[in-house]
Amino acid sequence: MPLLTAEEQQTIADLVALRAVGYSLPGAFYTNDAVYRAEIARIWQRDWLFVGHTCEIPSPGDYLTFAVEADSLIIIRGDDGQINALWNVCRHRGTQICDQAQGRVGRLVCPYHQWTYGRDGSLLSCRGMQEDVDEGELGLLRAPVREVEGFIYISLCDDPPDFTGAAETIGPLARPQGFDRAKVAKIVDYEVAANWKIVWENNRECYHCNVNHPQYIKANFDHFNADDTSERIQARIDQAVARSEEKWAAAGLAVSHRRSGMTEFPCIGPEGWYAANRTPLVEGYVSETMEGRQAAPLMGDYTDADVGTLRIRTLPNMWHHASCDHAVTTRLLPGGRQRTLVRVTWLVDEKAVEGRDYRLEEIMPFWQLTSEQDWQLCEQAHKGVSSSHYVPGPYSAYKEYNVDAFVRWCLYRLNSGEQGAESRE
Amino acid sequence: MPLLTAEEQQTIADLVALRAVGYSLPGAFYTNDAVYRAEIARIWQRDWLFVGHTCEIPSPGDYLTFAVEADSLIIIRGDDGQINALWNVCRHRGTQICDQAQGRVGRLVCPYHQWTYGRDGSLLSCRGMQEDVDEGELGLLRAPVREVEGFIYISLCDDPPDFTGAAETIGPLARPQGFDRAKVAKIVDYEVAANWKIVWENNRECYHCNVNHPQYIKANFDHFNADDTSERIQARIDQAVARSEEKWAAAGLAVSHRRSGMTEFPCIGPEGWYAANRTPLVEGYVSETMEGRQAAPLMGDYTDADVGTLRIRTLPNMWHHASCDHAVTTRLLPGGRQRTLVRVTWLVDEKAVEGRDYRLEEIMPFWQLTSEQDWQLCEQAHKGVSSSHYVPGPYSAYKEYNVDAFVRWCLYRLNSGEQGAESRE
Amino acid sequence: MPLLTAEEQQTIADLVALRAVGYSLPGAFYTNDAVYRAEIARIWQRDWLFVGHTCEIPSPGDYLTFAVEADSLIIIRGDDGQINALWNVCRHRGTQICDQAQGRVGRLVCPYHQWTYGRDGSLLSCRGMQEDVDEGELGLLRAPVREVEGFIYISLCDDPPDFTGAAETIGPLARPQGFDRAKVAKIVDYEVAANWKIVWENNRECYHCNVNHPQYIKANFDHFNADDTSERIQARIDQAVARSEEKWAAAGLAVSHRRSGMTEFPCIGPEGWYAANRTPLVEGYVSETMEGRQAAPLMGDYTDADVGTLRIRTLPNMWHHASCDHAVTTRLLPGGRQRTLVRVTWLVDEKAVEGRDYRLEEIMPFWQLTSEQDWQLCEQAHKGVSSSHYVPGPYSAYKEYNVDAFVRWCLYRLNSGEQGAESRE
């Protein structure tokens, strides 16, 4: 049966047409159930989704499970060291095979009737079945999976978009951070009572930073914009860039964002969903910690703490800030029209020992505070846009160009639905 | 998109036609989602809704928030002493501005990007926006608001019904109670697992009082009706009326209900949604307290405790009983097909001091018991009408004429939908 | 209004046509709301449903309440000793009369306005109503009810299927167990996060038993099937059957299942919904207890512990295993697409005294473990079939013929909908 009725298709097309350029989205984009299902079908079930880091599954048999609504995958390292993304659905009667968030297994055994699969998903045994069952046809279904410098992506779509551009953009910038030699220091999961787009809109501007994120604005320049970048501030930015470029050129790093305001992201078009850049911190800050001090051993190839921050973002579900000594990944998953599941992961060098080389209370607060301040704003934003008397308001041309860009990206993707691909049994 | 599909419109019209005069409503009126949405659109989003008492926001900057489903308003006293009803939705990106139930503010500042509004909703500052933004157009949206003798009403509809008749009916009767010199002694909030109409149907008859409200029937005559009003009882009523009229005439008060049974309410038609009357209590009772004794200082202009009870009711969401010494307001809000949010507020004279002049355990139990007994009955009634084998039954002609009147009022209002007014983006 | 739109009817017909013989059901059968509503209308609101045991309401006035979704019934023993099934809905304004799970009453009095009904549902009093109310027409609505050897069945349908065949099949086999002289030793209620059909599918095969139910397979032969029944095992079964037949013939009992594997159930057709049989236990086991020992006094007519197990099952909501000394009934009720309410009831002889004649920790664990192991499997199965990438898989011809039979029965019933019977007001 179709995921969206003809009437719902029309509703969405009407809504997309209704949106005025430079203004926030009409309320139905956040509250209408058909819009949400269209987003699941046309964005979340088509795009590349960030899952986690390769350092979470270092050895053959290590696995993570990953779920978007009712769709669960097993992300498991195979005997050949490659990562497999397997649908977490037994080929016998459909039972979910792994119900743990992570673990290590020799083989994947369905708890129901013990159908047994290899780490690559191939069916090894289905004792009790008749002889004419074709075991070769009954391996676990595979999902597309890609790895780029320790970031694992999967797609729920059997025919996903090209990943090449993303790999070529993220790879070189991420390589010096040494994500292949990292480890997880801490994972915190949040349930935010707001639509997933509201969480992204929050991420795509620093207009709200000055009052809401006092710790963030001490370390970063990106809350300044065209309207409030004085000559004095631009001089500070230029100085930080010059200082960084000198050092980083020697270290093979590159500064890729050197203006006030945020780097532009996302863009319309097939390559508009990813971006990465290296950005200097404010003079005196070498890490996104509360006081700006290094709080853990240098990661990767770094030989000097002054490497600014590496920033990566991929739609629809990941952004990342890495300092010289730790890295922070934020992963989003939709949990209904008015609920977003957020996981924030802190990484450090794999050899660093908690208590000896770093303390969680030094590496966590900067992004934990920033995150939690944002979730509260998102929840209050969601409440407001649900009102019958919410009317779209104007974006700041100085500070919200990226929110506008994100909204345009969403509308572009919502319009890209092909009816055929959206039917489920 | 339309709130109700053509099919749903027809369903409602069919249901309205189905109801037999003198019989309770078909079950779908309580369980069908389209009916509920029609009630929200045609009743709750069109009518005057009681919010609270002016004594809850005595000074400029004092505010209450008030919400019907996702629609939140800020009810705030302005610098000019007038009460403003402002939609609780920032004109920038729609964030809910106030998330507290009440408070006092100098200006209304959106927590997200600090857009700042005056107590009258006008936009005072939107720092960070481009110069061509028209601040004069971006004040908080205003909702219609009326005050009558301390009772605050708003409408979620920009073009609400006339309020004049209600003000002229309620005003003179309420004035001696001195609601402008009252204070809140206690607020209790309830969540009742029943449709809002079931709560009103319960309120509109005293057929259930004899067994369920032993305290209520000791103080009041209105549980007697045509079928059980003996000569002896009518003589008691006549005596109470005569006694009251003599005193009250001298005090400028008026008896407006002097029969057994409840006063008739509501009526079909544009003025049928409000009523007020003064009614004698049973001999020996001067207040709706457990023993009938005065339990707090006299309120308002009263110089004698024997003033009977002042009763006010306005559809769809308020009824009120005031005695000489305290007053009790019950406010309903819909919380889904099978949930009603009820707030009961006890008022006393503003100079009365708790512990010295009154004790909550003396002024509260009479209506707290009555309320809680009723909520339990409502919940059990809701369960029953949800059954596939519930069939509408006959109303008592003696005791449930007001339930029948309420049901007729609802059907009249459900039929008054104009499709144009019901579309939301 | 119709329970299912024309579009939904078509969806269901398409789904039924989609199912491949010998393969598990397409996922929509477990997750689609229209399918669930069709099952309620065409199965649960038409068939005979097991309620409980007569020993739970031994005396006039004893009652149980029983609910399928919003439909509640009072199952009450009348003054004539007969069991009445009365809709738990007052004929006045529809209030639910009994809100307790069980109890004893002289008369059924609606708490709202005290309309009073006899134990047979006839209206005895409706004080306060006008004289022309026809009390004879206002008795509680009656539902069909049947009793067979202590098992109580009702139907939510006023014109239910014939019960004769079920009574004739179950009666003679159940009689020696003495359910009319039993008592409830324990009731445990479960809420299982799985569709009700998944719970039945689990019950209809023992393919999952070997690993998941170590205690069960020690006592029973039915986990063996065509593919793994060796000569040695068949010899053990034959020996057990021979031993039993000799004894049971003398006792008037009959062995009705003497092969490996499960007895075949259900079947398509009007008589396919019930079955009963007596089956030998493994040598050394005389009761389904952990060690196989008798753990309570012999029930009913039994004079020897070696009576195997009596097994009864009726679709859509009951299965039963009785040993010589205790009996265990499992009752299902649907609680939404992904929720099943399960009640497991342990019965012993009415004269047995807990602590003296039996201990719960001896009679309960065998079926409590089996049940709880199964609920966990069912929940994991439900998660998997909800995935967009679940595809129906092949049933084992040796071990899952009854799952296939159950699925065929469901499709047969889903196809039997007559539109006329499904409209509700």
Side-chain angles (χ1 to χ4, degrees), chain C residues 162-198:
Chain C
D162 188 28
F163 193 80
T164 314
E168 289 175 354
T169 295
I170 297 168
L173 270 158
R175 196 156 304 127
Q177 191 76 30
F179 288 107
D180 54 343
R181 290 156 279 158
K183 71 168 187 182
V184 170
K186 184 72 176 181
I187 290 176
V188 179
D189 285 311
Y190 297 98
E191 195 175 308
V192 181
N195 184 275
W196 70 275
K197 297 189 298 300
I198 285 179

Side-chain angles (χ1 to χ4, degrees), chain C residues 93-106:
Chain C
R93 273 161 54 193
T95 304
Q96 187 168 96
I97 292 172
C98 286
D99 64 349
Q100 302 296 307
Q102 60 183 105
R104 172 181 285 190
V105 290

